[in-house]
């Protein structure tokens, strides 16, 4: 029996969503193969929590725990922390130093994919379609009129390094920019401004087993709100239709684009790429390398639309992570 630690929590505003994701992962791991340990990573403490809610502090020297006088180390880490430090490369770098395999992207790839600006910069030479972008650092000068001319109205203002739609606003009038920047800069000191793309929004889960990159059925996102914001994503204010109501041709196109992006970025484990079909072509928005895994999240919906179960895919990902760990 292998010891598997499921990491959840994190230091960002997404930590509660990560706790839900971790609970789903923990529930669906195969107990015939694995001893499963829920590990909560918070700024104030790293700890293992058992079924009785007892806590045991993690020894950060070797990422181990001691339970009933037994020293426990881990064969693999299932990393489901959203945001920092689990999605931006920090936990990955720490575990790499300890030579402990983990299911998410490696540290360098995580740092790139978590930074929307850097991720788009890496993908553009590969002919990946995206919207137009302007980048601002906190305190930098800007011209609101010029920005509106360059991006067109409306456009989005987003925190550069954040998931789960925190720090996102849609700007309809030039004089709304200042407020939108306040919202975004409250989350991150780097901001990305992105042109509005009109079209069907879809999301595609991708994972790799050995040399095969596998795309899940796309999900179509229809938000009741103005866009796919936090309420729409996590509080039921959207329709998520799996498989998406698009033609087979468009389905295959967005799946191939997702697999290509996954490969170009050298991702690992389960990732989720988001697109908008603009003028019939999938335009890349962003990629989440530790996507939500709560019961209402998109990836579990997509897995249920296949002939596989969550348990089967989680097992495949863990075994593949261990097999290819160097």
């Amino acid at each position: 029996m292998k010891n598997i630690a499921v990491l959840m929590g994190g230091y960002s505003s997404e930590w509660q969503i990560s706790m839900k994701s971790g609970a789903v992962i923990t529930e669906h791991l195969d107990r015939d193969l694995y001893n499963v340990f829920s590990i909560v990573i918070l700024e104030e403490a790293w700890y293992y929590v058992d079924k009785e809610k007892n806590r045991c502090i993690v020894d950060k020297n070797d990422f181990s725990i001691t339970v009933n006088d037994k020293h426990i180390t881990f064969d693999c880490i299932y990393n489901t922390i959203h945001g920092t430090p689990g999605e931006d490369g920090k936990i990955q770098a720490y575990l790499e130093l300890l030579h402990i395999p983990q299911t998410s992207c490696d540290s360098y790839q995580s740092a790139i994919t978590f930074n929307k600006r850097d991720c788009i910069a890496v993908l553009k030479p590969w002919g990946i379609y995206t919207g137009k972008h302007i980048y601002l650092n906190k305190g930098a000068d800007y011209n609101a009129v010029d920005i509106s001319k360059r991006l067109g109205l409306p456009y989005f203002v987003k925190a550069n390094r954040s998931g789960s739609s925190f720090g996102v606003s849609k700007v309809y009038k030039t004089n709304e920019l200042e407020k939108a920047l306040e919202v975004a800069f409250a989350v991150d000191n780097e901001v990305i401004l992105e042109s509005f793309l009109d079209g069907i929004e879809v999301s595609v889960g991708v994972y790799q087993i050995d040399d095969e990159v596998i795309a899940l059925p796309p999900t179509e996102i229809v938000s009741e709100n103005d866009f796919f914001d936090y309420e729409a994503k996590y509080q039921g204010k959207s329709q998520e239709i799996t498989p998406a109501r698009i033609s087979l041709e468009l389905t295959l196109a967005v799946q191939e684009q997702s697999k290509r992006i996954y490969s170009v970025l050298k991702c690992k484990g389960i990732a989720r790429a988001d697109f908008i079909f603009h003028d019939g072509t999938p335009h890349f928005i962003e990629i989440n390398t530790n996507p939500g895994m709560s019961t209402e999240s998109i990836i579990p919906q997509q897995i249920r639309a296949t002939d596989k179960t969550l348990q089967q895919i989680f097992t495949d990902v863990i075994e593949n992570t261990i097999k290819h760990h160097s």
Side-chain angles (χ1 to χ4, degrees):
M1 296 274 284
K2 292 170 183 156
N3 291 337
I4 307 298
V6 181
L7 298 198
M8 61 193 84
Y11 301 170
S12 78
S13 49
E14 302 172 70
W15 75 272
Q16 289 174 305
I17 302 157
S18 173
M19 295 295 289
K20 290 182 180 181
S21 295
V24 169
I25 302 283
T26 301
E27 178 189 347
H28 288 279
L29 291 189
D30 190 340
R31 294 308 198 279
D32 292 332
L33 297 175
Y34 307 128
N35 299 312
V36 181
F37 299 84
S38 298
I39 304 285
V40 179
I41 305 292
L42 300 175
E43 283 189 285
E44 57 267 26
W46 295 13
Y47 57 86
Y48 160 62
V49 57
D50 65 19
K51 290 178 182 176
E52 286 73 42
K53 306 299 182 186
N54 298 313
R55 295 183 179 187
C56 168
I57 296 297
V58 173
D59 183 346
K60 294 180 184 177
N61 292 301
D62 60 356
F63 199 78
S64 67
I65 55 175
T66 301
V67 180
N68 299 325
D69 296 325
K70 184 179 180 184
H71 184 246
I72 297 169
T73 56
F74 300 103
D75 298 287
C76 185
I77 307 292
Y78 202 109
N79 178 4
T80 188
I81 296 172
H82 311 324
T84 189
E87 202 168 5
D88 57 0
K90 292 174 183 173
I91 281 282
Q92 288 87 340
Y94 163 76
L95 293 171
E96 284 163 15
L97 288 171
L98 294 174
H99 303 290
I100 302 173
Q102 59 87 37
T103 56
S104 187
C105 292
D106 294 338
S107 57
Y108 178 68
Q109 284 73 23
S110 296
I112 288 173
T113 53
F114 191 67
N115 187 309
K116 296 179 180 74
R117 178 184 64 193
D118 292 353
C119 185
I120 289 164
V122 168
L123 290 174
K124 276 202 169 175
W126 295 84
I128 306 294
Y129 286 98
T130 68
K132 298 174 187 173
H133 297 92
I134 294 172
Y135 309 106
L136 289 176
N137 294 331
K138 198 165 190 174
D141 292 331
Y142 64 90
N143 184 311
V145 174
D146 181 55
I147 287 169
S148 294
K149 285 178 180 175
R150 288 169 63 187
L151 296 181
L153 288 166
Y155 60 85
F156 286 102
V157 177
K158 302 179 179 181
N160 188 43
R161 295 168 295 186
S162 175
S164 296
S165 301
F166 286 109
V168 181
S169 302
K170 193 173 181 181
V171 171
Y172 285 91
K173 298 175 182 175
T174 299
N175 62 7
E176 295 172 358
L177 176 58
E178 185 176 355
K179 175 61 178 173
L181 289 174
E182 281 180 28
V183 171
F185 282 132
V187 176
D188 187 19
N189 60 13
E190 297 177 5
V191 163
I192 180 169
L193 292 79
E194 182 178 80
S195 61
F196 170 69
L197 298 172
D198 191 22
I200 297 170
E201 183 170 356
V202 298
S203 196
V204 184
V206 188
Y207 65 103
Q208 182 169 355
I209 303 298
D210 295 329
D211 292 330
E212 185 183 7
V213 180
I214 301 156
L216 294 168
T219 295
E220 179 184 347
I221 296 157
V222 183
S223 177
E224 293 176 21
N225 293 356
D226 194 24
F227 59 94
F228 196 45
D229 60 6
Y230 183 86
E231 269 195 339
K233 193 175 284 188
Y234 294 109
Q235 296 175 2
K237 298 285 187 177
S238 68
Q239 275 185 288
E240 294 166 5
I241 301 160
T242 308
R245 298 170 300 181
I246 55 177
S247 68
L248 177 60
E249 182 183 7
L250 292 182
T251 296
L252 293 174
V254 78
Q255 286 179 319
E256 284 305 311
Q257 191 74 299
S258 302
K259 292 193 287 185
R260 185 157 176 258
I261 288 166
Y262 184 101
S263 298
V264 166
L265 294 172
K266 296 185 178 177
C267 292
K268 189 159 71 75
I270 300 173
R272 196 194 77 231
D274 299 337
F275 300 86
I276 289 178
F277 276 99
H278 184 65
D279 294 335
T281 301
H283 284 58
F284 173 74
I285 304 299
E286 64 179 349
I287 190 163
N288 293 275
T289 57
N290 280 0
M293 289 289 181
S294 61
T295 49
E296 62 266 33
S297 294
I298 290 170
I299 294 290
Q301 292 176 38
Q302 294 181 352
I303 292 172
R304 287 193 289 268
T306 71
D307 59 356
K308 292 200 169 186
T309 64
L310 291 174
Q311 185 181 97
Q312 287 173 316
I313 289 182
F314 294 160
T315 298
D316 287 347
V317 166
I318 289 169
E319 294 302 318
N320 194 67
T321 298
I322 294 170
K323 178 180 177 182
H324 293 283
H325 183 252
S326 54

